[in-house]
Amino acid sequence: MSAVEVRALPGRGRGLVTTRQVEAGEAVLVEEPLLLTVSQEAQDNACAHCLCWLEFCTGAVRCQVCHQAAFCSPQCQQQAAAKPWVHADATCRAYAQLPLLLPGDAEGQASLRFLIQAAGLKHSSGAANSSSAASSCSVGGHEQLSGYAALMALVGEPSPAVAAQAAVLQPALCQALGDASCSVLSVQEAASLLAKEAANSFGLLAPLGQQGSTGGAAGAGDAGVRVLRGGALYPTCALLNHECLPNVARFDALDAAVDGRWPAQWPGQPAAHGSSSSSAGHASSTAVVMRALHALPPGSEVTLSYFPLHWELRERQAQAQQVYGFTCGCPRCQLEASPEWQQQADDEDDGSGWETDDGAEDSESAPGDAADAAGSSSDHDMEESEHQQQLQLQQLRADIQAAAVTAAAAAAAASGKPLQPPEPLDASYLSLFMLKYVCPRQGCFGTMAALRGSEVCECSVCGALRSEAEFLAGLEQQG
């Protein structure tokens, strides 16, 4: 029985809801990519089919036709060639035109590469409606489209800027594919695809510890930097709505097929790690697994944070507006936008300071009249800046409250119940949530998710393990 089903959620669009009790650490959703695109920066260092870092692969090969793709092995190249949306002959010839059609435009080439793949998927879906590329699947009894139909069913409306970009890229696409009639994709269709890709694509980055040492922009010599290898579209996972305190974490496994370092309890993975061979029901290294942070009762909406958990309110709100076009009104955002929370944060900032070994505050100041002059000359600017920040904060609070009220009103209207104010989040619960589910490893900021049937949590980024006893001991030390 599937753990989730698709439902229309008042004020939130479509979403995924649990159909039964979900255990802590259970893989709520496992999905292979519909489309996977290697990034322009990583195309010389990552496999165009599985995104494996070529440094780890002894049999890596490069395409001698387009010179725009490399593969971890001849087998991976053969699999890519069998898929029109990855690296079939027509797709390969189109890739060869990328640097000629858009010289020096890395961003434009990346978008054109995606449109080439989308055109290949459309051709494949139209050519064989009964094939796996155009078939449908079921999630919790709800019929899910796949292939090109699934791609076009994703949310995302083109902005004027995206429409203008499509008007430039569509003729280039037709030229790359040798489509003199420009019938493969219309300008409007290209704009829609670009918007859907921007709104739904998952960036694929290798977990810390699965990085190569190759230098340059696509390299990963700094062990603390996660290199973006590409993007992928997962139509069902794209239905997961955002929450700043989510109940699932996303796990990736790039390079695991080569080095054998699969995340713990990866679906279908044999107990003895180290084997790169797949088995029935085994998720590939480009799949994503959404693992429950804690137990979820039936009827719970499954939510994922679109941003790292440690991001502050302003960062999260700016990203939500600029990238996804919404204002988050979740309980965490409401709490952190409250005057009480802001006052507490200001008090901590004012009173904490940095102390030297002898206990005195470590601050830099100019002596005598020079310090006074410097202070007086900047007083007006500082006051004006603080005033603007206060206005921005007030507007942010109003936006968050409005979003929360709108969602609550929609839910109440759908249920026929009177509108109730959103239940406030307790500050101590938020602090405990962050301590428990943000990886304690310095500089990591991954999400800790339980392992099913265990008191151990695993980090989604660095793979670190921590037992419940270790977590409680850490709390006692901080207390």
Side-chain angles (χ1 to χ4, degrees):
M1 178 182 180
S2 174
V4 296
E5 66 180 5
V6 182
R7 287 188 192 172
L9 302 173
R12 294 173 68 84
R14 291 186 300 166
L16 297 179
V17 177
T18 56
T19 59
R20 55 172 174 78
Q21 181 73 20
V22 171
E23 298 180 36
E26 184 176 346
V28 178
L29 188 60
V30 182
E31 190 171 16
E32 300 288 344
L34 174 64
L35 275 185
L36 182 149
T37 305
V38 65
S39 69
Q40 287 296 112
E41 295 79 8
Q43 69 175 23
D44 293 329
N45 298 299
C47 177
H49 184 248
C50 71
L51 296 187
C52 183
W53 206 244
L54 301 184
E55 179 185 338
F56 302 148
C57 309
T58 57
V61 295
R62 300 185 184 278
C63 179
Q64 299 302 311
V65 178
C66 68
H67 303 286
Q68 298 295 310
F71 301 92
C72 61
S73 66
Q75 293 78 14
C76 223
Q77 185 178 26
Q78 291 172 5
Q79 292 176 32
K83 301 173 182 176
W85 59 95
V86 182
H87 203 259
D89 289 343
T91 310
C92 175
R93 291 193 299 270
Y95 288 160
Q97 301 298 313
L98 289 174
L100 303 176
L101 293 170
L102 300 169
D105 184 1
E107 183 178 349
Q109 289 183 33
S111 297
L112 184 54
R113 181 187 288 266
F114 166 73
L115 290 178
I116 290 170
Q117 291 187 274
L121 184 63
K122 179 181 182 181
H123 172 77
S124 176
S125 299
N129 289 329
S130 60
S131 71
S132 60
S135 62
S136 60
C137 60
S138 179
V139 177
H142 185 92
E143 193 74 2
Q144 291 288 100
L145 298 171
S146 61
Y148 190 71
L151 180 56
M152 292 304 292
L154 295 173
V155 299
E157 295 298 325
S159 64
V162 171
Q165 181 189 24
V168 173
L169 293 178
Q170 191 261 2
L173 172 67
C174 295
Q175 187 173 344
L177 293 173
D179 178 23
S181 63
C182 285
S183 61
V184 59
L185 292 176
S186 67
V187 174
Q188 292 76 15
E189 196 172 3
S192 179
L193 286 166
L194 291 172
K196 294 176 188 299
E197 194 270 342
N200 298 280
S201 181
F202 284 74
L204 295 180
L205 305 91
L208 291 177
Q210 288 186 0
Q211 301 279 13
S213 59
T214 306
D222 183 354
V225 176
R226 300 181 70 201
V227 176
L228 177 66
R229 298 192 186 175
L233 290 169
Y234 303 89
T236 304
C237 289
L239 295 171
L240 290 168
N241 285 318
H242 165 75
E243 192 77 24
C244 292
L245 292 182
N247 52 32
V248 297
R250 165 190 157 194
F251 281 77
D252 303 305
L254 299 182
D255 301 328
V258 175
D259 62 26
R261 292 186 291 181
W262 298 92
Q265 299 182 346
W266 190 258
Q269 176 63 25
H273 285 194
S275 172
S276 62
S277 60
S278 61
S279 58
H282 180 247
S284 77
S285 60
T286 55
V288 290
V289 174
M290 301 296 174
R291 187 190 296 173
L293 301 188
H294 47 75
L296 302 175
S300 301
E301 183 184 3
V302 182
T303 58
L304 175 72
S305 178
Y306 294 176
F307 330 118
L309 292 181
H310 72 286
W311 277 18
E312 295 183 353
L313 174 67
R314 289 175 188 257
E315 291 179 283
R316 301 196 310 272
Q317 290 292 330
Q319 187 79 350
Q321 281 283 5
Q322 295 167 11
V323 178
Y324 300 101
F326 70 89
T327 297
C328 183
C330 74
R332 178 184 173 186
C333 285
Q334 293 182 65
L335 173 63
E336 294 180 3
S338 67
E340 295 78 13
W341 179 277
Q342 187 62 42
Q343 183 61 52
Q344 179 182 348
D346 291 342
D347 291 344
E348 292 174 353
D349 290 342
D350 292 342
S352 60
W354 290 99
E355 294 188 351
T356 60
D357 292 339
D358 61 3
E361 284 194 0
D362 183 11
S363 61
E364 297 183 1
S365 62
D369 293 341
D372 293 338
S376 61
S377 66
S378 60
D379 281 347
H380 177 74
D381 291 341
M382 291 179 62
E383 290 175 1
E384 181 66 23
S385 175
E386 290 175 358
H387 178 65
Q388 291 296 326
Q389 289 178 4
Q390 282 297 114
L391 292 177
Q392 292 173 1
L393 183 59
Q394 291 173 9
Q395 184 61 50
L396 186 61
R397 289 172 183 156
D399 290 344
I400 292 170
Q401 186 63 30
V405 171
T406 299
S415 63
K417 298 178 181 178
L419 174 62
Q420 298 292 332
E423 188 172 342
L425 179 69
D426 184 75
S428 60
Y429 174 83
L430 173 57
S431 298
L432 186 62
F433 185 98
M434 299 298 284
L435 288 170
K436 185 173 180 65
Y437 295 114
V438 175
C439 180
R441 178 179 173 181
Q442 186 174 5
C444 175
F445 304 118
T447 303
M448 303 293 291
L451 293 178
R452 190 174 186 180
S454 169
E455 291 190 350
V456 173
C457 287
E458 179 184 25
C459 176
S460 62
V461 172
C462 70
L465 300 176
R466 183 186 63 190
S467 68
E468 185 70 11
E470 290 171 330
F471 168 64
L472 295 175
L475 284 182
E476 291 181 1
Q477 292 178 359
Q478 293 190 25

